[in-house]
Amino acid sequence: EVPHLIAVAATTKQDRWATFSTYGAWCSLAAPGETVVTTGINNQYIYARGTSFATPLVAATVALMLGAGAPRDPALLKRRLAATAADVEAPGVDPRTGAGRIDAGRAVVDQLVL
């Protein structure tokens, strides 16, 4: 595992690991990657799926944390994301969802009280 790298898996709308998502011991955490609303052709909203849609949700959560005053330490941000994630697969850290599915609200609020 690389301390400054956040490897993101995707979860389903049932809050489980998405079978199209990659997995392995390197997985840091997961984010919703199924039925994600995005824009398509002609600026119409569509539903999409994939880790390509899960990863920006993690990046957005980090941006919210930084906006609320979190230190700009990548390893600390990664640890806080993991500590506040919802455990959605096997108990504890697992190779499919890592520390669990991100919880943006907890990540931002918890860092304010730490």
Side-chain angles (χ1 to χ4, degrees):
E1 181 172 326
V2 179
H4 294 72
L5 178 79
I6 301 172
V8 180
T11 56
T12 66
K13 59 185 176 180
Q14 289 83 23
D15 219 10
R16 305 301 298 167
W17 173 73
T19 57
F20 58 80
S21 181
T22 57
Y23 64 94
W26 45 263
C27 181
S28 306
L29 49 90
E34 183 179 79
T35 320
V36 178
V37 178
T38 188
T39 53
I41 299 172
N42 299 323
N43 293 325
Q44 295 195 15
Y45 292 109
I46 61 170
Y47 291 104
R49 70 181 214 157
T51 53
S52 297
F53 295 94
T55 301
L57 295 175
V58 175
T61 301
V62 170
L64 289 171
M65 293 166 67
L66 292 171
R72 294 182 177 270
D73 178 339
L76 177 62
L77 291 165
K78 181 178 177 178
R79 284 195 308 273
R80 189 156 296 147
L81 285 170
T84 58
D87 200 358
V88 294
E89 285 286 326
V93 177
D94 65 80
R96 290 186 174 180
T97 59
R101 191 237 327 118
I102 61 163
D103 183 331
R106 262 190 82 197
V108 172
V109 171
D110 281 10
Q111 70 99 35
L112 291 173
V113 296
L114 291 176

